[in-house]
Amino acid sequence: MSRLVYINGEMVPSEQATVSVFDHGLLYGDGVFEGLRSYNGKVFRLEQHVRRLYESARAIRLAIPISTAEMCKATNHAVAANGIQDGYIRMIVTRGTGTLGLDPNRCSDPQVIIIADSIALYSEELYEKGLEIITTSVIRNHPAALSPRIKSLNYLNNILAKLEGLKAGCVEALMLNHKGEVAECTGDNIFLVRDGVLMTPPLDAGILGGITRDAVVELAETAGIEVLKVSLTKHDVYVADECFLTGTAAEVIPVVRVDDRDIGCGRPGPVTLNLKDQFHDLARS
Ligand code: PXG
Protein backbone atom coordinates (compact mmCIF):
# COMPACT_ATOMS: atom_id res chain seq x y z
CA MET A 1 0.00 0.00 0.00
CA SER A 2 1.35 3.39 -0.97
CA ARG A 3 1.98 5.67 1.96
CA LEU A 4 2.45 9.37 2.31
CA VAL A 5 5.94 9.92 3.62
CA TYR A 6 7.24 13.05 5.31
CA ILE A 7 10.48 14.22 3.78
CA ASN A 8 12.07 17.59 4.52
CA GLY A 9 8.84 19.37 5.36
CA GLU A 10 6.62 17.79 2.72
CA MET A 11 4.23 14.85 2.61
CA VAL A 12 4.77 12.97 -0.64
CA PRO A 13 3.76 9.56 -2.02
CA SER A 14 6.37 6.97 -0.97
CA GLU A 15 7.63 6.52 -4.56
CA GLN A 16 8.65 10.17 -4.56
CA ALA A 17 10.29 10.06 -1.13
CA THR A 18 13.85 9.45 -2.30
CA VAL A 19 17.38 10.31 -1.24
CA SER A 20 20.57 10.66 -3.25
CA VAL A 21 22.94 7.73 -3.78
CA PHE A 22 25.59 10.17 -2.50
CA ASP A 23 23.77 10.52 0.82
CA HIS A 24 26.17 9.56 3.60
CA GLY A 25 23.31 7.76 5.32
CA LEU A 26 23.57 5.24 2.49
CA LEU A 27 27.31 5.45 1.85
CA TYR A 28 28.43 5.19 5.48
CA GLY A 29 25.40 4.55 7.68
CA ASP A 30 25.97 8.13 8.78
CA GLY A 31 22.70 9.14 10.38
CA VAL A 32 20.28 8.33 13.18
CA PHE A 33 16.80 6.88 13.53
CA GLU A 34 13.96 6.03 15.88
CA GLY A 35 11.26 3.37 15.84
CA LEU A 36 7.96 4.29 17.47
CA ARG A 37 4.46 2.92 17.72
CA SER A 38 1.03 4.42 17.62
CA TYR A 39 -1.97 2.99 19.43
CA ASN A 40 -5.45 4.21 18.45
CA GLY A 41 -3.82 6.92 16.37
CA LYS A 42 -1.75 8.26 19.27
CA VAL A 43 2.04 7.96 19.27
CA PHE A 44 3.40 6.27 22.40
CA ARG A 45 6.00 8.33 24.31
CA LEU A 46 6.63 10.59 21.34
CA GLU A 47 8.57 13.19 23.33
CA GLN A 48 10.95 10.56 24.74
CA HIS A 49 11.66 9.14 21.30
CA VAL A 50 12.27 12.62 19.89
CA ARG A 51 14.60 13.40 22.78
CA ARG A 52 16.58 10.22 22.10
CA LEU A 53 16.71 10.99 18.37
CA TYR A 54 18.19 14.46 19.03
CA GLU A 55 20.62 12.98 21.56
CA SER A 56 21.78 10.39 19.02
CA ALA A 57 22.20 13.19 16.46
CA ARG A 58 24.11 15.33 18.92
CA ALA A 59 26.41 12.43 19.74
CA ILE A 60 27.40 12.17 16.07
CA ARG A 61 27.53 15.97 15.63
CA LEU A 62 24.58 16.02 13.28
CA ALA A 63 22.39 19.12 13.51
CA ILE A 64 18.76 18.25 12.80
CA PRO A 65 17.39 21.18 10.79
CA ILE A 66 13.97 21.26 12.49
CA SER A 67 13.00 21.79 16.12
CA THR A 68 11.87 18.98 18.42
CA ALA A 69 8.38 20.54 18.43
CA GLU A 70 8.29 20.48 14.63
CA MET A 71 9.45 16.85 14.66
CA CYS A 72 6.58 15.91 16.99
CA LYS A 73 4.07 17.79 14.87
CA ALA A 74 5.32 16.22 11.65
CA THR A 75 5.14 12.75 13.21
CA ASN A 76 1.55 13.19 14.35
CA HIS A 77 0.73 14.54 10.91
CA ALA A 78 2.32 11.53 9.14
CA VAL A 79 0.27 9.15 11.32
CA ALA A 80 -2.99 11.03 10.69
CA ALA A 81 -2.39 11.56 6.95
CA ASN A 82 -2.03 7.80 6.48
CA GLY A 83 -5.09 7.03 8.59
CA ILE A 84 -2.96 4.89 10.89
CA GLN A 85 -4.42 3.68 14.16
CA ASP A 86 -2.09 0.93 15.41
CA GLY A 87 1.12 1.42 13.50
CA TYR A 88 4.86 1.69 13.35
CA ILE A 89 6.69 4.96 12.80
CA ARG A 90 10.26 5.34 11.65
CA MET A 91 12.09 8.67 11.98
CA ILE A 92 15.31 8.93 10.00
CA VAL A 93 17.83 11.74 9.78
CA THR A 94 20.72 11.25 7.38
CA ARG A 95 23.92 13.29 7.10
CA GLY A 96 22.79 14.30 3.61
CA THR A 97 24.36 14.36 0.17
CA GLY A 98 28.14 14.47 0.14
CA THR A 99 31.05 13.11 -1.85
CA LEU A 100 32.65 9.67 -2.11
CA GLY A 101 34.77 10.40 0.93
CA LEU A 102 34.14 10.22 4.64
CA ASP A 103 34.22 13.94 5.41
CA PRO A 104 30.77 14.72 6.85
CA ASN A 105 31.55 18.43 6.63
CA ARG A 106 31.03 18.15 2.90
CA CYS A 107 27.40 17.15 3.45
CA SER A 108 25.09 20.11 3.67
CA ASP A 109 21.51 18.90 3.55
CA PRO A 110 20.50 16.42 6.27
CA GLN A 111 17.43 14.50 5.11
CA VAL A 112 14.60 14.31 7.62
CA ILE A 113 12.21 11.44 6.90
CA ILE A 114 9.19 10.10 8.77
CA ILE A 115 7.48 6.91 7.64
CA ALA A 116 4.22 5.82 9.25
CA ASP A 117 3.20 2.31 8.36
CA SER A 118 1.41 -0.78 9.67
CA ILE A 119 3.26 -3.02 12.10
CA ALA A 120 4.17 -6.71 11.90
CA LEU A 121 3.74 -8.19 15.37
CA TYR A 122 5.01 -11.38 16.96
CA SER A 123 2.29 -14.04 17.09
CA GLU A 124 0.03 -14.28 20.12
CA GLU A 125 1.42 -17.78 20.65
CA LEU A 126 4.91 -16.41 21.30
CA TYR A 127 3.54 -14.11 24.02
CA GLU A 128 1.73 -17.00 25.67
CA LYS A 129 4.45 -19.63 25.42
CA GLY A 130 7.47 -17.34 25.57
CA LEU A 131 10.52 -17.01 23.34
CA GLU A 132 13.50 -19.28 23.05
CA ILE A 133 16.72 -17.33 22.47
CA ILE A 134 20.44 -18.01 22.20
CA THR A 135 23.48 -16.05 23.31
CA THR A 136 25.20 -14.89 20.17
CA SER A 137 28.97 -14.91 19.64
CA VAL A 138 28.65 -11.35 18.30
CA ILE A 139 29.79 -8.95 21.05
CA ARG A 140 27.83 -5.69 21.40
CA ASN A 141 29.72 -2.66 20.11
CA HIS A 142 32.35 -1.41 22.54
CA PRO A 143 30.90 1.83 23.96
CA ALA A 144 34.19 3.62 23.33
CA ALA A 145 34.10 2.59 19.67
CA LEU A 146 30.45 3.30 18.87
CA SER A 147 28.15 3.83 21.81
CA PRO A 148 25.11 1.53 21.78
CA ARG A 149 23.22 4.52 23.19
CA ILE A 150 23.36 6.06 19.72
CA LYS A 151 20.58 4.69 17.52
CA SER A 152 22.61 5.10 14.35
CA LEU A 153 21.81 4.01 10.80
CA ASN A 154 24.62 1.45 11.11
CA TYR A 155 22.96 -1.54 12.74
CA LEU A 156 25.39 -4.16 11.45
CA ASN A 157 26.44 -5.18 14.95
CA ASN A 158 22.84 -6.11 15.72
CA ILE A 159 22.18 -7.56 12.27
CA LEU A 160 25.12 -9.97 12.55
CA ALA A 161 23.79 -11.09 15.92
CA LYS A 162 20.27 -11.41 14.51
CA LEU A 163 21.55 -13.58 11.64
CA GLU A 164 23.18 -15.94 14.13
CA GLY A 165 19.96 -16.09 16.16
CA LEU A 166 17.84 -16.79 13.08
CA LYS A 167 20.25 -19.51 11.98
CA ALA A 168 19.59 -21.17 15.36
CA GLY A 169 15.84 -20.78 14.88
CA CYS A 170 15.48 -17.83 17.30
CA VAL A 171 13.86 -14.49 16.51
CA GLU A 172 15.96 -12.74 19.14
CA ALA A 173 19.51 -13.24 20.39
CA LEU A 174 21.24 -12.16 23.58
CA MET A 175 24.35 -10.03 23.14
CA LEU A 176 27.12 -9.80 25.72
CA ASN A 177 29.35 -6.75 26.01
CA HIS A 178 33.13 -6.63 25.62
CA LYS A 179 33.49 -7.56 29.31
CA GLY A 180 31.35 -10.67 28.91
CA GLU A 181 28.43 -9.12 30.76
CA VAL A 182 24.83 -9.31 29.59
CA ALA A 183 24.06 -6.28 27.42
CA GLU A 184 20.82 -6.54 25.46
CA CYS A 185 19.19 -8.33 22.55
CA THR A 186 19.39 -7.20 18.92
CA GLY A 187 16.33 -4.95 19.18
CA ASP A 188 15.16 -5.38 22.76
CA ASN A 189 16.37 -4.81 26.31
CA ILE A 190 16.51 -7.71 28.77
CA PHE A 191 15.14 -8.17 32.30
CA LEU A 192 15.53 -10.98 34.82
CA VAL A 193 13.47 -11.80 37.90
CA ARG A 194 15.12 -13.48 40.90
CA ASP A 195 13.41 -13.90 44.27
CA GLY A 196 10.84 -11.27 43.30
CA VAL A 197 13.47 -8.65 42.39
CA LEU A 198 13.63 -7.23 38.88
CA MET A 199 17.10 -6.82 37.36
CA THR A 200 18.29 -5.25 34.14
CA PRO A 201 21.75 -4.18 32.95
CA PRO A 202 22.69 -0.53 33.59
CA LEU A 203 23.27 1.89 30.69
CA ASP A 204 27.01 1.61 31.18
CA ALA A 205 26.84 -2.08 30.25
CA GLY A 206 26.73 -0.63 26.73
CA ILE A 207 23.06 -0.76 25.79
CA LEU A 208 20.41 1.40 24.20
CA GLY A 209 18.42 3.26 26.85
CA GLY A 210 15.14 1.67 25.86
CA ILE A 211 11.95 3.67 26.21
CA THR A 212 9.97 0.50 26.90
CA ARG A 213 12.63 -0.42 29.49
CA ASP A 214 12.05 2.94 31.25
CA ALA A 215 8.28 2.43 31.18
CA VAL A 216 8.56 -1.09 32.61
CA VAL A 217 10.88 0.11 35.40
CA GLU A 218 8.30 2.78 36.28
CA LEU A 219 5.46 0.24 36.28
CA ALA A 220 7.42 -2.17 38.46
CA GLU A 221 8.43 0.49 40.97
CA THR A 222 4.84 1.74 41.17
CA ALA A 223 3.77 -1.85 41.88
CA GLY A 224 6.29 -2.02 44.74
CA ILE A 225 8.68 -4.35 42.92
CA GLU A 226 12.34 -3.70 43.65
CA VAL A 227 14.30 -2.87 40.49
CA LEU A 228 18.08 -3.21 40.29
CA LYS A 229 20.13 -1.87 37.38
CA VAL A 230 23.13 -4.12 37.85
CA SER A 231 25.75 -5.84 35.78
CA LEU A 232 24.56 -9.36 34.94
CA THR A 233 26.31 -12.45 33.64
CA LYS A 234 25.11 -15.40 31.62
CA HIS A 235 25.07 -17.29 34.93
CA ASP A 236 22.47 -14.83 36.26
CA VAL A 237 20.34 -15.52 33.19
CA TYR A 238 20.59 -19.29 33.56
CA VAL A 239 19.59 -19.27 37.25
CA ALA A 240 16.88 -16.58 36.96
CA ASP A 241 13.29 -17.40 37.91
CA GLU A 242 11.98 -15.39 34.97
CA CYS A 243 13.29 -13.53 31.95
CA PHE A 244 11.62 -11.13 29.53
CA LEU A 245 12.49 -8.64 26.80
CA THR A 246 11.21 -5.12 26.24
CA GLY A 247 11.07 -3.09 23.05
CA THR A 248 8.85 -0.80 21.05
CA ALA A 249 7.87 -3.56 18.63
CA ALA A 250 7.71 -6.47 21.11
CA GLU A 251 6.37 -4.49 24.14
CA VAL A 252 7.02 -7.05 26.95
CA ILE A 253 7.65 -10.62 25.80
CA PRO A 254 8.55 -13.61 28.01
CA VAL A 255 11.72 -15.64 27.42
CA VAL A 256 11.50 -19.25 28.59
CA ARG A 257 14.64 -20.86 27.14
CA VAL A 258 18.15 -19.49 26.72
CA ASP A 259 20.92 -21.55 25.10
CA ASP A 260 18.79 -24.69 25.38
CA ARG A 261 18.22 -24.21 29.13
CA ASP A 262 14.83 -23.67 30.70
CA ILE A 263 14.54 -20.38 32.59
CA GLY A 264 12.67 -21.00 35.83
CA CYS A 265 10.08 -23.66 35.10
CA GLY A 266 10.26 -23.06 31.35
CA ARG A 267 6.98 -21.12 31.30
CA PRO A 268 6.30 -17.36 31.52
CA GLY A 269 6.35 -16.38 35.21
CA PRO A 270 3.93 -14.25 37.25
CA VAL A 271 6.04 -11.07 37.42
CA THR A 272 6.57 -11.16 33.65
CA LEU A 273 2.90 -11.72 32.91
CA ASN A 274 1.85 -8.97 35.28
CA LEU A 275 4.23 -6.42 33.72
CA LYS A 276 3.28 -7.57 30.21
CA ASP A 277 -0.39 -6.89 30.93
CA GLN A 278 0.35 -3.62 32.67
CA PHE A 279 2.46 -2.37 29.78
CA HIS A 280 -0.19 -3.52 27.30
CA ASP A 281 -2.77 -1.42 29.15
CA LEU A 282 -0.46 1.58 29.58
CA ALA A 283 0.34 1.72 25.84
CA ARG A 284 -3.36 1.60 24.98
CA SER A 285 -4.63 3.93 27.70
N1 PXG B 1 18.01 -2.28 22.15
C1 PXG B 1 18.20 -2.07 20.85
C2 PXG B 1 19.51 -2.36 20.26
C3 PXG B 1 17.15 -1.58 20.06
O1 PXG B 1 17.33 -1.36 18.75
C4 PXG B 1 15.75 -1.58 22.03
C5 PXG B 1 16.82 -2.04 22.75
C6 PXG B 1 14.47 -1.29 22.75
O2 PXG B 1 14.28 0.12 22.85
P1 PXG B 1 12.83 0.78 22.86
O3 PXG B 1 13.10 2.24 23.01
O4 PXG B 1 12.18 0.44 21.55
O5 PXG B 1 12.13 0.21 24.01
C7 PXG B 1 15.91 -1.33 20.66
C8 PXG B 1 14.77 -0.80 19.84
C9 PXG B 1 12.65 -3.04 14.56
C10 PXG B 1 12.61 -2.21 15.77
O6 PXG B 1 12.19 -2.59 13.51
C11 PXG B 1 13.64 -2.25 16.68
C12 PXG B 1 13.58 -1.42 17.79
C13 PXG B 1 12.53 -0.60 18.00
C14 PXG B 1 11.50 -0.56 17.08
C15 PXG B 1 11.53 -1.39 15.95
O7 PXG B 1 13.18 -4.17 14.63
N2 PXG B 1 14.64 -1.50 18.64
Side-chain angles (χ1 to χ4, degrees):
M1 180 178 172
S2 178
R3 295 286 182 196
L4 288 171
V5 172
Y6 172 96
I7 179 162
N8 307 321
E10 284 183 82
M11 294 293 298
V12 303
S14 53
E15 313 80 63
Q16 288 163 37
T18 56
V19 294
S20 164
V21 294
F22 289 97
D23 193 301
H24 279 208
L26 174 70
L27 291 176
Y28 299 112
D30 186 356
V32 294
F33 78 103
E34 274 297 320
L36 307 81
R37 269 178 84 169
S38 66
Y39 299 90
N40 296 319
K42 186 172 184 308
V43 182
F44 183 68
R45 301 228 158 162
L46 175 57
E47 289 75 21
Q48 282 99 319
H49 280 280
V50 166
R51 192 181 315 133
R52 192 170 67 185
L53 180 75
Y54 281 69
E55 267 180 29
S56 292
R58 189 149 192 192
I60 67 164
R61 305 180 80 153
L62 169 60
I64 299 178
I66 61 174
S67 69
T68 55
E70 284 168 320
M71 185 68 80
C72 289
K73 201 171 154 211
T75 304
N76 286 324
H77 184 54
V79 170
N82 287 288
I84 294 202
Q85 292 296 314
D86 296 331
Y88 179 71
I89 300 117
R90 174 69 52 99
M91 296 170 175
I92 305 154
V93 186
T94 74
R95 186 75 68 178
T97 303
T99 59
L100 293 181
L102 263 74
D103 188 356
N105 295 321
R106 301 184 76 165
C107 305
S108 52
D109 59 340
Q111 300 291 294
V112 181
I113 299 160
I114 305 168
I115 306 167
D117 205 345
S118 51
I119 179 159
L121 298 170
Y122 286 144
S123 70
E124 196 48 47
E125 194 192 353
L126 282 181
Y127 286 90
E128 276 161 24
K129 292 195 175 152
L131 289 183
E132 173 166 356
I133 64 172
I134 56 151
T135 307
T136 161
S137 67
V138 181
I139 298 303
R140 192 74 177 96
N141 281 333
H142 193 301
L146 174 58
S147 173
R149 293 187 65 185
I150 302 171
K151 215 164 156 58
S152 88
L153 290 183
N154 191 319
Y155 245 52
L156 271 177
N157 181 224
N158 312 57
I159 288 166
L160 292 177
K162 177 105 180 174
L163 281 171
E164 206 174 88
L166 290 172
K167 193 103 186 157
C170 300
V171 293
E172 254 299 10
L174 175 60
M175 303 181 78
L176 306 179
N177 67 17
H178 62 285
K179 294 189 271 189
E181 299 162 341
V182 170
E184 59 181 338
C185 291
T186 68
D188 297 289
N189 291 112
I190 186 165
F191 284 83
L192 302 178
V193 181
R194 185 89 201 265
D195 296 332
V197 177
L198 198 55
M199 296 180 292
T200 194
L203 291 182
D204 64 15
I207 62 171
L208 183 73
I211 286 158
T212 319
R213 172 181 176 271
D214 286 344
V216 165
V217 167
E218 285 165 27
L219 287 171
E221 285 176 341
T222 304
I225 300 169
E226 189 183 352
V227 183
L228 299 177
K229 290 174 183 162
V230 285
S231 113
L232 298 167
T233 63
K234 235 161 47 159
H235 175 82
D236 295 311
V237 178
Y238 294 158
V239 303
D241 300 326
E242 302 179 31
C243 176
F244 63 85
L245 310 182
T246 62
T248 292
E251 300 191 359
V252 173
I253 189 156
V255 171
V256 294
R257 266 178 95 69
V258 179
D259 300 335
D260 245 6
R261 296 157 179 257
D262 278 350
I263 303 303
C265 59
R267 283 191 304 278
V271 177
T272 300
L273 292 175
N274 174 21
L275 290 169
K276 172 170 95 74
D277 291 345
Q278 281 204 52
F279 183 84
H280 181 277
D281 294 348
L282 172 71
R284 289 157 184 83
S285 66

